[in-house]
Amino acid sequence: MNNVTIAGKVGQQPELRYTQGGMPLCTFGVGTTSGKDDKKKTTWHNVVAFGPLGEHCSASIQKGSTVIICGRIDVEEYETKTGEKRKANKIIADEVGLSLRWAPAFSEDKSKFENAVDMLTTALPSPEDPF
């Protein structure tokens, strides 16, 4: 079983791209902190969200957001320019949510919020034509 759940702060603005096949792909880093006082240690996790989840992440979270990520760990193998083989862990997200432990969920960036409202309201049927 390969399941992981983390809670932490988004370290950089999520980046939305599209694969050659047109699939949305959102990447961002999440920092998790353990320990107390002078023994604190932050670990950074690369997160990837595909499809509609990726688009929703791009529209809903921003640098500094506290998030909860559920997904699976994937190991990417690559070769450096000098020919050295390396591995990098990333989390393939199945679920992404805002954490409400330290703050209410709202966007400081009003344009993102307004865009989300516009997307929802244009998807709803007109009150004059309910069917």
Side-chain angles (χ1 to χ4, degrees):
M1 185 176 267
N2 181 5
N3 293 324
V4 63
T5 301
I6 64 168
K9 287 209 177 274
V10 175
Q12 78 260 8
Q13 194 63 29
E15 182 181 344
L16 181 63
R17 299 186 310 261
Y18 292 87
T19 65
Q20 289 180 352
M23 165 127 12
L25 166 81
C26 184
T27 58
F28 54 97
V30 175
T32 56
T33 304
S34 59
K36 293 188 183 256
D37 300 324
D38 62 337
K39 305 260 187 205
K40 279 188 179 178
K41 176 185 174 188
T42 300
T43 303
W44 289 97
H45 309 273
N46 295 316
V47 179
V48 180
F50 291 96
L53 178 60
E55 291 177 316
H56 298 162
C57 287
S58 174
S60 304
I61 62 177
Q62 56 194 345
K63 180 179 178 178
S65 297
T66 304
V67 294
I68 301 169
I69 311 288
C70 297
R72 62 183 172 82
I73 296 175
D74 187 48
V75 179
E76 181 180 1
E77 296 181 11
Y78 64 97
E79 196 171 304
T80 65
K81 292 179 182 179
T82 60
E84 186 179 355
K85 292 185 179 186
R86 295 207 177 163
K87 295 180 182 180
N89 292 335
K90 59 184 171 183
I91 297 173
I92 307 298
D94 293 322
E95 296 286 341
V96 177
L98 293 171
S99 172
L100 303 178
R101 183 173 184 185
W102 306 110
F106 67 92
S107 176
E108 295 286 332
D109 182 351
K110 300 293 186 221
S111 63
K112 281 189 177 183
F113 175 75
E114 290 166 358
N115 287 342
V117 169
D118 287 345
M119 285 175 36
L120 290 173
T121 55
T122 55
L124 296 173
S126 168
E128 292 121 22
D129 184 21
F131 300 101

